[in-house]
Amino acid sequence: MPTPSNRATWLAVSAMFVLNGALYGMWASRIPAAAQLHGLDKADLGLLLLLLAGGAIAAFPLAGRVADARGAAPVTLAIAVAYAVALCLIGLAPSVAWLALALFAFGATHGAMDVAMNTWAGEAEAHIARPVMSSFHAMFSLGAGLGAASGYAAERMEIGIAPHFIIGAAIILVLTMMLARVPWASQKQGSGAKPPLFPFPRGPLIAVGLIAFCSSMGEGAMVDWSALFLVDIAQVDGARAALGYTIFSVAMVVTRLLGDQVTYRLGPVKTARLAGVFATIGTLFAVGFASYGMALLGFVFMGVGYAVIMPLAFSRAARDPHLPPGSAIASVATLGYGGLLLGPPVIGFIAHATSLRLGFGVLAALAGLIIVLAYAVRRPSN
């Protein structure tokens, strides 16, 4: 099988990150509309988001094992199709019960694709022979921003959730699959020592997973609650509220595009500490002021702060000397993307018991913990 060029490799992997982010961004931008359509309060929505998180966490270890055994690239492409179908099922759900099932499937396919595509990204980074992981995650943020922007447009044009999800998923799937079809020979693990069925982080990877958890808790809260935060706190309409996550995603895209260069100059530990400072300041801005403008400024700082943590964590996991790449990434994803998916229901429960502002206040403490745990992303010496 011929080896694709560096450019073709980067485009193929980037296309999958764009697809992953776009589908999730579409869902994030229409959460208020879905809640209104099904008559959900904050507690109901929190429970449904917990099902989404459960699907992803259940899929992480299985996806890691399958990616190691069958190759990350073909597994990523197969899951991408199922992920797009799951989004359409959310839009077509006729009742809360069907919505719950669709969200579980959406979470499972999202989580499985995260592990598979990051494993492929690790292979691509080794092939290209220079740091590119942050740029791949920039493409996820770009996709999420495009997905959220499509939600803003759909709200403005009064397009229903089902047609928005079906048309949007079909368009992004076709476009990205055209770029992702490259002759890539994925690495496969032999039949020797097998990793544990549920590869929870151990040793140094525990701290790597924890710093990823702190970051992704904030990112998850932004995905599912930023629009409702602006509606409740800043008293804006749904269309203006949808711009909050778009602005956050733009900040993440720009920062991730620069992230590899910043990490090269400062090193991973200093980069992670600086990111924690930005995330803490941004969260305090969003929580401390009730104005729309200050909340958006806080979202920008949060986007800058959270942008590089997951790429640094996955880059460290891919180099772990004790686990194969797919299983190592799955173990970090259990805590990392577990935070992305568990964060929204936790915020929902806190908001229901107290207020959404206090729920977001928890993110400030977690952002501060990123500064403390920054040492975890130091690359192994051997």
Side-chain angles (χ1 to χ4, degrees), residues 222-241:
M222 289 299 298
V223 169
D224 288 339
W225 289 107
S226 59
L228 288 172
F229 181 88
L230 291 174
V231 170
D232 285 0
I233 306 303
Q235 300 293 304
V236 298
D237 60 30
R240 294 181 71 197

Side-chain angles (χ1 to χ4, degrees), residues 160 172 283 315 346:
I172 195 68
T283 308
S315 223
V346 169

Side-chain angles (χ1 to χ4, degrees), residues 229 233 287 347 350-351 353-364:
F229 181 88
I233 306 303
V287 171
I347 296 297
I350 295 173
T354 56
S355 69
L356 191 51
R357 178 175 285 181
L358 185 60
F360 262 64
V362 173
L363 303 179

Side-chain angles (χ1 to χ4, degrees), residues 50-129:
L50 190 60
L51 276 175
L52 188 153
I57 292 172
F60 287 150
L62 179 60
R65 288 173 66 89
V66 173
D68 283 333
R70 298 181 177 271
V75 171
T76 300
L77 295 174
I79 296 172
V81 177
Y83 184 33
V85 171
L87 177 69
C88 297
L89 293 177
I90 293 175
L92 294 169
S95 66
V96 174
W98 282 106
L99 178 63
L101 290 173
L103 283 173
F104 183 85
F106 185 69
T109 50
H110 172 74
M113 188 176 178
D114 271 324
V115 171
M117 74 182 186
N118 274 289
T119 305
W120 190 7
E123 295 176 2
E125 190 172 49
H127 170 73
I128 295 171

Side-chain angles (χ1 to χ4, degrees), residues 196-294:
L197 180 61
F198 194 84
F200 196 80
R202 62 178 185 266
L205 284 182
I206 295 176
V208 178
L210 285 174
I211 194 173
F213 176 85
C214 293
S215 175
S216 61
M217 273 282 289
E219 191 174 347
M222 289 299 298
V223 169
D224 288 339
W225 289 107
S226 59
L228 288 172
F229 181 88
L230 291 174
V231 170
D232 285 0
I233 306 303
Q235 300 293 304
V236 298
D237 60 30
R240 294 181 71 197
L243 284 177
Y245 185 65
T246 303
I247 289 174
F248 171 82
S249 296
V250 169
M252 291 196 76
V253 170
V254 174
T255 305
R256 283 176 167 172
L257 287 172
L258 300 173
D260 294 318
Q261 189 174 24
V262 172
T263 302
Y264 176 77
R265 291 178 179 274
L266 299 181
V269 175
K270 287 183 179 178
T271 301
R273 284 185 182 139
L274 184 62
V277 171
F278 271 96
T280 303
I281 293 173
T283 308
L284 292 175
F285 272 20
V287 171
F289 299 92
S291 72
Y292 182 60
M294 289 302 293

Side-chain angles (χ1 to χ4, degrees), residues 21-38:
L23 298 181
Y24 210 81
M26 288 181 209
W27 155 243
S29 67
R30 302 307 299 271
I31 287 174
Q36 183 179 13
L37 178 65
H38 293 280

